[in-house]
Amino acid sequence: MTGSLDAVLQAVAGVCLVVGCLMSLAAGIGMLRFPDLLSRMHAATKPQVLGLFLLLSAVAIELRSWALVPVLLLAWLLQLLTAPVSAHMVGRAGYRTKHLKRQTLLVDELDQVVARAVQDGPGRDGLAQEGPGQDGMGQGPAGQDVAGRTGGCSAGTGPAGPAAG
Amino acid sequence: MIRPGSRPATGTGEQGPRLTFRIELPLLVWMALVWGALWQDFSAGNLVFGFLLALVVVNVFRLPPVELSGRFNVWRAVVFAVGFLGKVVLASFQVFALAVVRGPRVRSAVVGVRLRTGDDLMVTAVGHVLTLIPGSFVVEVDRGNSTLYLHVLDVNTHAQVERVRRHVLDLEARLVRVMGTREEMARVDAERAGLAFPPPQDNGSTPRGGDTARKEAP
């Protein structure tokens, strides 16, 4: 009886491992085939959430130790907390430095906002009030204002820290 | 409900320390649990030691306080977590298929979605969940207007853009039901009942993209 259960668990762990690795393959293919940085970020950050979950599940099933489950869960939770932050930082920097292909975008609502912030000048609608964020991204429609807005936004991402604990 | 407002993290008011302690209690408990998990030992002694260590860490490395809403619906959280996992599984395979089939011809969009709540923690949570569900990730956060700008993969029509917007607001509503404040709950309920609820007052003109989306090439 325990022998057959063992076999089933072993098979489940095997499937988890293979599918988890498949997710890494998905990321690799996505990196190669997607057209620009922003769409590549999807492939670079997301399938691994599932991939790591499956690999950790396989470890838990294979070792059959309940004491290990909290550590594995913690590892996954920490990935859940950090992956979006890194994706956001890379994506934001990529957008500001124009590492995107506009023709792949159906709509771009952020573009208007940046343009309006530039039009209205610094200090209007709270976008450029949080101090000059010199991110060194002077390639925007009007370098300094965009940089100012960037400063405001980087302050906006701040609370991710304490929330992450 | 605990709302310290814009009080600095180094609370020195007369009731400051106690208030700070209450705000930080969930964080301390979480850190103690992390300590237990790392040692793989959840005995009382180890947890207490972890808690003391967490106290030291929290007091030495100060951060702005995280404003919790004061309510947490465990049942809805479980439902949300299961739904989240399901979405991650489904959408991961979708991205896989998209990478293989569509590849370089994939079309996407940057969509701005104005959230109902201005709460930092809620905006962060919504942004995290949106980024973790394949198909969208947060490119920019406009904190003053609590607007998230998402890059969404595989968007071909404007109807799909509106669907993304609805999806984000629906997600926010569900998160509000898990851990939002009572005011946010009331707002979500009112919206559901079909009442026209006025948008929140905020500073200056709102960059509400979308409905009146004008395309202006610079």
Side-chain angles (χ1 to χ4, degrees):
Chain A
M1 199 61 205
T2 50
S4 71
L5 183 67
D6 249 23
V8 168
L9 284 181
Q10 198 117 39
V12 170
V15 169
C16 281
L17 279 178
V18 170
V19 177
C21 293
L22 218 59
M23 288 297 120
S24 288
L25 179 67
I29 294 176
M31 289 296 274
L32 273 177
R33 294 200 26 105
F34 281 143
D36 65 344
L37 182 136
L38 291 181
S39 46
R40 277 183 193 145
M41 284 312 296
H42 288 275
T45 53
K46 257 76 69 66
Q48 282 90 324
V49 173
L50 178 61
L52 185 68
F53 177 75
L54 289 172
L55 292 178
L56 293 176
S57 310
V59 170
I61 293 171
E62 202 45 40
L63 294 177
R64 272 161 238 168
S65 138
W66 284 109
L68 207 61
V69 171
V71 194
L72 300 177
L73 202 63
L74 186 68
W76 193 58
L77 276 180
L78 288 179
Q79 195 213 21
L80 286 190
L81 289 173
T82 51
V85 177
S86 61
H88 169 64
M89 294 318 281
V90 175
R92 196 174 124 242
Y95 188 91
R96 305 248 156 219
T97 48
K98 309 278 173 200
H99 279 98
L100 75 165
K101 289 187 179 154
R102 288 215 183 272
Q103 64 269 24
T104 66
L105 293 178
L106 180 74
V107 276
D108 187 352
E109 290 168 3
L110 185 54
D111 192 36
Q112 294 172 37
V113 176
V114 174
R116 198 175 314 165
V118 170
Q119 254 177 24
D120 293 346
R124 252 307 252 118
D125 56 38
L127 291 178
Q129 287 176 358
E130 310 219 26
Q134 296 301 335
D135 287 22
M137 299 183 183
Q139 296 172 34
Q144 75 210 36
D145 293 342
V146 176
R149 202 184 118 70
T150 312
C153 289
S154 61
T157 59
Chain B
M1 202 181 83
I2 305 151
R3 277 213 171 268
S6 57
R7 202 171 48 79
T10 50
T12 47
E14 50 201 63
Q15 50 157 328
R18 192 185 302 162
L19 200 60
T20 310
F21 183 76
R22 268 184 64 198
I23 294 164
E24 282 171 347
L25 193 60
L27 178 67
L28 292 171
V29 170
W30 158 249
M31 285 169 89
L33 287 177
V34 168
W35 178 258
L38 288 176
W39 281 103
Q40 299 180 28
D41 174 10
F42 286 93
S43 62
N46 197 34
L47 284 183
V48 167
F49 185 65
F51 192 85
L52 290 178
L53 216 60
L55 261 180
V56 172
V57 168
V58 163
N59 282 298
V60 173
F61 305 102
R62 286 204 160 271
L63 284 170
V66 180
E67 295 180 30
L68 298 176
S69 67
R71 55 171 289 277
F72 189 84
N73 189 323
V74 176
W75 168 242
R76 283 200 190 275
V78 170
V79 171
F80 185 86
V82 171
F84 170 73
L85 253 182
K87 256 182 226 166
V88 166
V89 171
L90 193 75
S92 289
F93 284 101
Q94 270 173 1
V95 169
F96 194 1
L98 212 60
V100 172
V101 177
R102 201 76 60 77
R105 283 163 293 131
V106 74
R107 302 260 290 157
S108 36
V110 176
V111 186
V113 185
R114 176 108 186 264
L115 302 179
R116 306 176 186 91
T117 163
D119 187 38
D120 281 340
L121 182 62
M122 190 55 82
V123 172
T124 310
V126 173
H128 261 69
V129 173
L130 279 171
T131 304
L132 288 168
I133 295 171
S136 54
F137 87 92
V138 179
V139 179
E140 190 69 89
V141 183
D142 186 345
R143 188 188 182 192
N145 296 309
S146 64
T147 305
L148 293 177
Y149 292 93
L150 306 165
H151 182 268
V152 191
L153 206 59
D154 193 29
V155 174
N156 298 299
T157 62
H158 286 275
Q160 277 176 317
V161 173
E162 289 313 309
R163 205 178 309 151
V164 167
R165 220 185 291 286
R166 274 202 306 279
H167 172 243
V168 172
L169 288 175
D170 174 57
L171 192 90
E172 190 206 1
R174 271 190 276 164
L175 263 177
V176 161
R177 284 176 193 287
V178 172
M179 50 178 247
T181 60
R182 298 203 182 279
E183 291 90 65
E184 288 164 356
M185 275 289 276
R187 235 177 111 84
V188 169
D189 284 338
E191 249 171 55
R192 203 169 184 193
L195 295 171
F197 220 89
Q201 296 301 312
D202 51 65
N203 42 352
S205 63
T206 57
R208 170 103 202 190
D211 304 335
T212 57
R214 290 163 298 150
K215 288 286 285 178
E216 297 164 40

